[in-house]
């Protein structure tokens, strides 16, 4: 029985179905996140406690069978899988994220919860970067040591840390930053991601999870979603200065 997967599996770029039921996995193999054509994943009856954010790269996924694993957390990036229609997972009191009470509401409401939580993390992240555009540009250049215009995941984390950007959800957000799943981002890719959808607003689980959900559960969901919404500093750049910097950057670099 299997405990790991070879990196060469990522060469199967058209693989649609992957069955790894009843093996000996204790950690989820990251190489699965590079199988972006996957539509069905069966990972039941293993010993996985945590499924990683890299699952979010598999945005063609339609069904995931994850039951009979001692799962304590699911990644927010599952909320990016717009084709997902089936997901099985055993919910125990060990479930921390999302809270077990949310997981027990069924797939539809669990997916909505993950989706809106991911959306809010993206909105807060982009807002922070827009407020510190000059610092973002300087940090990117500083960590691009070989001047190839690319930063890998660790370098981006360092750059954002230098800018005092909240990194609590960095692993989930990386799926949105590294849109081509190459393991690195160039500044144009980083910049365009930062600047799009400037009028996005936070979503309220009390509205989106619907009237059929118990009020206490809705309030718990609301608290969990907004625990991550640390105030965005308003003293870095106003909108006029930001637009000037954006225009200058595009003229000089794009």
């Amino acid at each position: 029985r299997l405990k790991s997967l070879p990196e060469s599996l990522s060469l199967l770029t058209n693989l649609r179905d992957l069955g790894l039921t009843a093996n000996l996995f204790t950690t989820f193999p990251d190489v699965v996140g590079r199988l972006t054509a996957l539509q069905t994943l069966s990972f039941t009856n293993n010993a996985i406690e945590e499924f990683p954010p890299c699952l979010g790269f598999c945005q063609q996924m339609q069904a995931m069978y994850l039951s009979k694993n001692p799962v304590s957390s699911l990644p927010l990036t599952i909320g990016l899988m717009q084709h997902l229609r089936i997901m099985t997972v055993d919910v125990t009191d060990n479930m921390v994220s999302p809270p077990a009470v949310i997981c027990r509401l069924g797939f539809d409401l669990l997916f909505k919860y993950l989706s809106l939580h991911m959306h809010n993390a993206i909105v807060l992240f982009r807002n922070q970067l827009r407020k510190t555009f000059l610092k973002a540009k300087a940090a990117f250049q500083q960590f691009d040591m070989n001047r190839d215009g690319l930063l890998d995941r660790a370098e981006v984390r360092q750059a954002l840390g230098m800018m005092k950007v909240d990194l609590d959800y960095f692993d989930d957000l990386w799926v949105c930053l590294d849109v081509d799943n190459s393991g690195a981002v160039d500044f144009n890719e980083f910049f365009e991601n930062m600047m799009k959808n400037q009028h996005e607003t936070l979503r309220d689980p009390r509205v989106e999870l619907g009237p059929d959900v118990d009020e206490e559960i809705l309030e718990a969901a609301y608290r969990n979603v907004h625990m991550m919404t640390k105030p965005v500093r308003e003293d870095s750049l106003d909108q006029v200065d930001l637009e000037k910097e954006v225009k200058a950057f595009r003229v000089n670099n794009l």
Side-chain angles (χ1 to χ4, degrees):
R1 293 195 291 175
L2 298 174
K3 295 181 179 180
S4 62
L5 295 176
E7 289 298 311
S8 57
L9 187 68
S10 63
L11 298 175
L12 302 178
T13 54
N14 294 317
L15 186 66
R16 294 188 177 184
D17 303 291
L18 181 61
L20 294 166
T21 296
N23 281 287
L24 301 174
F25 291 96
T26 57
T27 59
F28 187 83
D30 287 347
V31 67
V32 174
R34 297 198 287 278
L35 302 173
T36 55
L38 270 186
Q39 296 181 4
T40 304
L41 174 65
S42 180
F43 222 93
T44 60
N45 198 12
N46 280 275
I48 305 294
E49 293 187 13
E50 184 174 345
F51 287 90
C54 68
L55 263 178
F57 285 117
C58 304
Q59 294 192 19
Q60 301 304 312
M61 192 74 74
Q62 298 178 16
M64 292 196 299
Y65 302 96
L66 311 178
S67 56
K68 296 185 179 179
N69 284 282
V71 180
S72 61
S73 68
L74 295 170
L76 299 185
T77 53
I78 289 175
L80 298 173
M81 298 177 178
Q82 295 304 311
H83 301 287
L84 190 64
R85 297 294 179 267
I86 299 171
M87 181 173 68
T88 63
V89 60
D90 292 338
V91 182
T92 69
D93 291 337
N94 293 328
M95 182 68 78
V96 175
S97 178
V101 67
I102 299 295
C103 296
R104 292 192 177 103
L105 296 176
F107 169 73
D108 288 343
L109 288 171
L110 172 58
F111 182 80
K112 282 184 179 180
Y113 177 89
L114 291 170
S115 178
L116 72 88
H117 205 133
M118 186 72 211
H119 168 88
N120 286 353
I122 292 170
V123 170
L124 267 294
F125 179 69
R126 285 177 176 157
N127 283 348
Q128 286 182 311
L129 291 181
R130 290 172 192 141
K131 296 293 183 181
T132 58
F133 176 79
L134 291 176
K135 290 182 181 179
K137 184 177 179 181
F140 197 101
Q141 292 172 337
Q142 177 173 337
F143 282 94
D144 181 18
M145 302 300 291
N146 60 1
R147 297 295 184 263
D148 65 352
L150 296 172
L151 292 186
D152 64 23
R153 178 172 171 163
E155 290 169 333
V156 171
R157 178 186 280 274
Q158 283 184 301
L160 295 175
M162 187 182 75
M163 294 160 52
K164 307 302 182 185
V165 171
D166 180 11
L167 297 176
D168 287 351
Y169 294 90
F170 175 78
D171 290 337
D172 294 281
L173 292 164
W174 178 253
V175 175
C176 299
L177 287 174
D178 184 17
V179 293
D180 58 1
N181 198 8
S182 66
V185 295
D186 61 41
F187 190 70
N188 290 349
E189 182 181 17
F190 182 82
F191 170 80
E192 291 298 336
N193 188 300
M194 177 175 70
M195 295 312 301
K196 65 184 180 182
N197 301 328
Q198 295 190 40
H199 301 294
E200 287 179 315
T201 58
L202 297 176
R203 290 159 54 183
D204 189 337
R206 296 173 298 183
V207 174
E208 300 206 18
L209 295 184
D212 297 327
V213 180
D214 183 89
E215 185 174 342
E216 290 186 9
I217 294 177
L218 285 177
E219 287 299 327
Y222 177 80
R223 288 194 300 272
N224 273 282
V225 168
H226 283 265
M227 278 175 63
M228 67 181 176
T229 58
K230 298 176 182 178
V232 179
R233 291 185 57 182
E234 301 290 345
D235 58 354
S236 299
L237 288 174
D238 61 29
Q239 187 62 33
V240 174
D241 290 336
L242 175 60
E243 290 173 356
K244 287 180 181 178
E245 289 298 324
V246 169
K247 184 176 180 180
F249 174 80
R250 284 183 166 145
V251 167
N252 295 326
N253 296 275
L254 300 181

